[in-house]
Amino acid sequence: RDRLDVDLDRFRRALVKASASHDSPRRDALAEAIDLYRGPLFATDPFEEWVWPHRDRLSWQHLDALIQLAEAEDTEGRHEQALPHWSAAIEADPAAEHAYRGLIRCYLALGRTADALRVLTRCQQALADFGVVPSPETLALGGQIPGVRQEPSR
């Protein structure tokens, strides 16, 4: 009997494999899941209410996979490899302050202070659009960027 091969099923299997793995196999499974994600579920039918919870769950799973892979690369000192995953996480959720901090930390580790400052500014603007001020952790990280004056949180 032929079995239908659906990218959504492969995405879910890759996430399960990642959760049961460590180190390189975990990173490989996360990368596989990220590669399989093709955007919002049934994007051509954005107003079909039945799909909303499924679409949201998949979007959050994708975002979580991006963050997990970025953190894994970052922890292993592979800052350059972490950059696109942090950037993709920010693209997926412009309010993901944690992802901005990860990207800033990578840029600082790579000595790319101008890029770190650009990301900090983008973070502050994005959060302001949501009516939120950066967390003390983000402000403290910003204070590590040469030339940035650390402002007290409001």
Side-chain angles (χ1 to χ4, degrees), residues 21-118:
S21 303
H22 299 284
D23 302 323
S24 183
R26 180 173 178 265
R27 287 192 307 273
D28 292 346
L30 288 167
E32 179 184 356
I34 290 165
D35 287 343
L36 287 166
Y37 185 77
R38 301 285 182 247
L41 185 66
F42 295 109
T44 57
D45 295 320
F47 303 109
E48 291 293 330
E49 291 183 28
W50 69 268
V51 80
W52 293 349
H54 304 287
R55 180 182 297 142
D56 289 347
R57 183 175 53 255
L58 287 171
S59 294
W60 284 113
Q61 288 173 327
H62 173 248
L63 176 62
D64 187 53
L66 287 166
I67 289 173
Q68 286 185 51
L69 185 53
E71 287 174 340
E73 297 289 13
D74 205 5
T75 299
E76 294 292 324
R78 289 188 291 271
H79 307 296
E80 197 72 44
Q81 289 87 343
L83 292 175
H85 305 302
W86 286 126
S87 295
I90 292 167
E91 183 75 24
D93 182 5
E97 187 175 2
H98 174 74
Y100 288 101
R101 286 194 304 267
L103 188 54
I104 291 167
R105 278 192 302 272
C106 282
Y107 280 137
L108 288 174
L110 294 167
R112 295 171 57 180
T113 57
D115 289 322
L117 179 57
R118 179 184 49 78

